[in-house]
Amino acid sequence: MLRRTGILRLVAVVLAGVLVGALLGWLALRDRGADDAGASALPACAELAGTGLGPLDEDPAWNGCLTADGAAVRSYRYECSGLRWISFPSGDEQRLGDGHVVFLPDAGLTGAEGQPWVGEPGVRPGYLRTPFAMLVMYRCDELRSLPHDGMQPPSCDLDDVPLDLLATQGCTLEGEHHAAVGRSCSYPDFDIGVSWEQWSIAVPGLGGPGDATVLESGPDEQWWMVPGQYRDERCATPPDEWDPAWR
């Protein structure tokens, strides 16, 4: 009797293991199927160039595109102020008004809402880590990150962290998202002008109660905590000439 009871228990354990394994396998296949379905809805990156980018809630290209290898490429979204089209090689500007700009860095494409997608010839897009370097024919006065589903921005503990595309999407603190705002800055270095991207994130209470400290990236492309009221001075002055109060 005891032997029979032991066999029954063993059979029950084996059956339970089989059922659990089957359930886990089904869940994995379901999730993979959902991912495949989401990716298959994306347009092909190779077919985007020269086509117009539609409204945010209607055009699937806002969510990225598929490379020739079938890999889904993420989009990085920024709201653009003062959108302009630059004609090369003349450098003439055509003002297009305000709009939204999307970047697909690994595909080498830049799209602006209501405007055609363009690519930068002869540049390996994987090395372009910051948005203003990727604008190609488009220019913006400022960019403000637009959070979207599927992207997990970093935490706001960004001191001494290198500037990159993910960090220019903003940061989160205690479950709250804080947008990043960027612009192109320059300062004279003898007889040449040096351009750099300044990105700022205002996080209430980051530096203490009533403190106007912000997270900002400097010419060294590192995030650091600095006084927020001196943003313009830092943008237009060579770093060697910065007042200690600006740091």
Side-chain angles (χ1 to χ4, degrees):
M1 179 65 71
L2 291 175
R3 183 179 178 184
R4 181 179 179 186
T5 302
I7 293 174
L8 290 175
R9 287 178 179 174
L10 179 61
V11 171
V13 170
V14 171
L15 288 176
V18 171
L19 289 174
V20 170
L23 177 61
L24 292 175
W26 176 79
L27 290 174
L29 289 173
R30 187 192 66 174
D31 292 341
R32 189 174 70 179
D35 292 341
D36 292 343
S40 64
L42 298 177
C45 300
E47 298 175 358
L48 285 181
T51 63
L53 176 63
L56 176 60
D57 296 327
E58 299 178 12
D59 193 331
W62 281 93
N63 297 315
C65 63
L66 289 174
T67 66
D69 297 328
V73 179
R74 169 179 289 172
S75 70
Y76 292 81
R77 302 177 188 171
Y78 305 88
E79 183 178 7
C80 169
S81 65
L83 180 64
R84 305 181 300 281
W85 173 272
I86 311 297
S87 300
F88 290 100
S90 66
D92 296 336
E93 296 187 2
Q94 178 185 355
R95 198 160 188 89
L96 303 173
D98 290 340
H100 298 100
V101 176
V102 173
F103 302 98
L104 299 178
D106 295 331
L109 293 167
T110 302
E113 186 177 15
Q115 302 296 323
W117 286 90
V118 294
E120 185 162 358
V123 174
R124 297 186 64 179
Y127 291 101
L128 303 177
R129 298 190 302 111
T130 57
F132 284 94
M134 298 166 51
L135 281 170
V136 197
M137 286 85 166
Y138 294 122
R139 292 292 182 270
C140 300
D141 294 330
E142 283 193 341
L143 294 173
R144 177 178 294 273
S145 62
L146 296 172
H148 55 98
D149 295 339
M151 182 173 292
Q152 297 294 326
S155 71
C156 292
D157 183 19
L158 291 175
D159 248 356
D160 298 323
V161 173
L163 176 69
D164 59 22
L165 281 165
L166 187 60
T168 62
Q169 288 290 290
C171 66
T172 57
L173 182 65
E174 297 179 352
E176 186 174 353
H177 180 270
H178 302 279
V181 179
R183 61 180 173 177
S184 182
C185 295
S186 64
Y187 62 86
D189 185 6
F190 295 100
D191 58 344
I192 63 173
V194 178
S195 297
W196 58 285
E197 293 184 25
Q198 181 194 60
W199 286 84
S200 299
I201 305 176
V203 183
L206 184 66
D211 193 342
T213 298
V214 299
L215 281 166
E216 189 171 283
S217 64
D220 60 353
E221 292 195 349
Q222 300 281 324
W223 287 97
W224 50 331
M225 292 175 59
V226 294
Q229 64 266 39
Y230 299 113
R231 184 171 183 245
D232 293 340
E233 288 86 345
R234 286 188 293 268
C235 185
T237 309
D240 292 342
E241 300 177 13
W242 284 3
D243 189 293
W246 302 353
R247 301 178 184 271

